[in-house]
Amino acid sequence: MNRFAYTRAQSVAEAVQALAGDPAARIIAGGTNLVDLMKYNVERPHRLIDITRLPLDAIEEHAGGLRLGALVPNSTVAYDARVTARYPLLASAILAGASPQLRNAASTGGNLLQRTRCYYFYDEGTPCNKRVPGSGCPAITGVNRIHAILGTSDHCIATHPSDMCVALAALEATVRVEGPNGPRGIPFAEFHRLPGDEPQRDTTLEPGEIVLSVDLPDRDFSHHYTYLKLRDRLSYAFALVSVAAALEMDGNTIRTARLALGGVAHKPWRNVEAERSLEGQKAAPETFRKAADLILAEAKPYAHNGFKIELARRAIVRGLAQAAAGTPQSQTDKRIR
């Protein structure tokens, strides 16, 4: 691990100033991802800016919804009574990820900013456009079983690893940030980037900006939702495919639909056309299959991950069926039958 300086920020303004003044600096809170990356020499910051003393660790009522401070631990969000009552999809997604110990340490803001778990990104001995822009993407022709099938580019086929972010995408959260130019809100759909020709950029944060909170809107998806996560093993594994489904129902008719996928792209994947195809329709397998076909119409398989297309199709159909029936996925059963 390289030598680095350490600064403990006493205010948001101080943290922004320190970050903006040193492009090689990194924000640290729980450190569950950054410290690993530093150990692997993937991240080599000259300075760590500790924000754990900032007043960003509360869950508050806001505009009819909830505001989750950037420093609220994942476990606190998952077990907060207001979250479990009004946003159970989010609680389910968080509990599907990592381990209890990591959820106790990981922060809300840090979860948004975690980096891909691509083998090549973590291996300093191989090229990687995310790590060294212009060096190449060996995953495209290499071992790519866990990699993306949607939104890829010739420069990167990595996937975003977060479960929490898939639920936040479906719930249409807003990310509040502050930087040298002041505060702003970023719709969740615009927060993460597809790789394009700049795969080293995971988000749309500007230099010097830090995450302050995640705002959840005032919508009622508390009865018809599911988070379905398919992975190689039940404990502590990242998703091959995950589905966050949130519906508002009139009897057996879908009034509003929100659907996001994880494990398939460089960001949580939504398809507005597919969501609209569900609205006003009866909750039926053929309706769900049509939405799945729309979402996966442009899926591009690589040598080892073609199975993800059919896996995603079945997961979408099953997730929507469970959400419509009001029977959210049990955390003890992740198999597709």
Side-chain angles (χ1 to χ4, degrees), residues 26-314:
R26 294 290 183 271
I27 295 290
I28 188 166
T32 56
N33 187 207
L34 178 59
V35 172
D36 277 348
L37 293 173
M38 291 172 66
K39 289 178 179 178
Y40 281 97
N41 280 318
V42 175
E43 290 276 6
R44 298 178 62 85
H46 295 166
R47 178 180 300 275
L48 293 183
I49 304 166
D50 185 345
I51 63 169
T52 55
R53 299 296 178 89
L54 302 187
L56 303 174
D57 58 352
I59 300 176
E60 303 171 322
E61 299 286 336
H62 174 74
L66 289 180
R67 171 166 287 172
L68 312 177
L71 294 177
V72 178
N74 287 178
S75 55
T76 299
V77 176
Y79 292 112
D80 184 271
R82 294 162 295 180
V83 173
T84 57
R86 295 158 62 183
Y87 307 97
L89 174 61
L90 177 58
S92 296
I94 293 172
L95 293 175
S99 65
Q101 295 88 343
L102 285 172
R103 291 195 296 265
N104 286 339
S107 65
T108 296
N111 196 295
L112 271 60
L113 299 173
Q114 64 180 303
R115 317 251 1 230
T116 184
R117 263 56 179 193
C118 172
Y119 322 120
Y120 300 99
F121 175 69
Y122 266 79
D123 184 357
E124 195 186 18
T126 65
C128 173
N129 285 323
K130 288 183 73 64
R131 197 171 6 90
V132 182
S135 62
C137 178
I140 292 175
T141 56
V143 179
N144 45 42
R145 181 175 179 272
I146 67 170
H147 288 75
I149 56 173
L150 290 165
T152 58
S153 78
D154 292 338
H155 302 278
C156 182
I157 61 171
T159 57
H160 185 71
S162 172
D163 291 291
M164 182 182 191
C165 288
V166 182
L168 291 174
L171 292 170
E172 296 189 329
T174 299
V175 184
R176 287 179 58 247
V177 306
E178 185 158 339
N181 297 319
R184 67 181 178 121
I186 306 173
F188 206 85
E190 300 172 13
F191 184 77
H192 295 101
R193 297 180 68 256
L194 292 178
D197 57 4
E198 292 183 292
Q200 70 276 16
R201 294 185 58 210
D202 292 333
T203 72
T204 56
L205 285 176
E206 297 295 335
E209 287 187 326
I210 67 171
V211 175
L212 300 182
S213 71
V214 175
D215 292 357
L216 299 171
D218 182 17
R219 294 299 299 264
D220 185 10
F221 293 121
S222 60
H223 300 291
H224 296 280
Y225 70 92
T226 196
Y227 187 72
L228 176 61
K229 180 177 180 179
L230 288 307
R231 44 187 161 172
D232 285 321
R233 62 183 186 276
L234 186 61
S235 175
Y236 193 31
F238 297 100
L240 293 169
V241 173
S242 63
V243 176
L247 307 175
E248 291 177 344
M249 304 289 296
D250 283 327
N252 194 44
T253 299
I254 301 168
R255 184 170 72 244
T256 306
R258 298 288 183 269
L259 190 63
L261 271 61
V264 297
H266 198 256
K267 61 183 286 186
W269 189 265
R270 282 185 63 197
N271 183 308
V272 175
E273 181 184 2
E275 292 174 352
R276 289 174 178 166
S277 77
L278 293 164
E279 294 175 355
Q281 302 300 312
K282 296 294 183 182
E286 57 270 22
T287 304
F288 305 149
R289 285 192 289 267
K290 179 182 177 181
D293 288 342
L294 287 170
I295 292 171
L296 298 168
E298 297 182 4
K300 179 182 178 180
Y302 292 85
H304 306 113
N305 70 354
F307 73 95
K308 278 194 175 189
I309 296 177
E310 183 59 24
L311 186 66
R313 179 175 286 107
R314 296 187 184 196

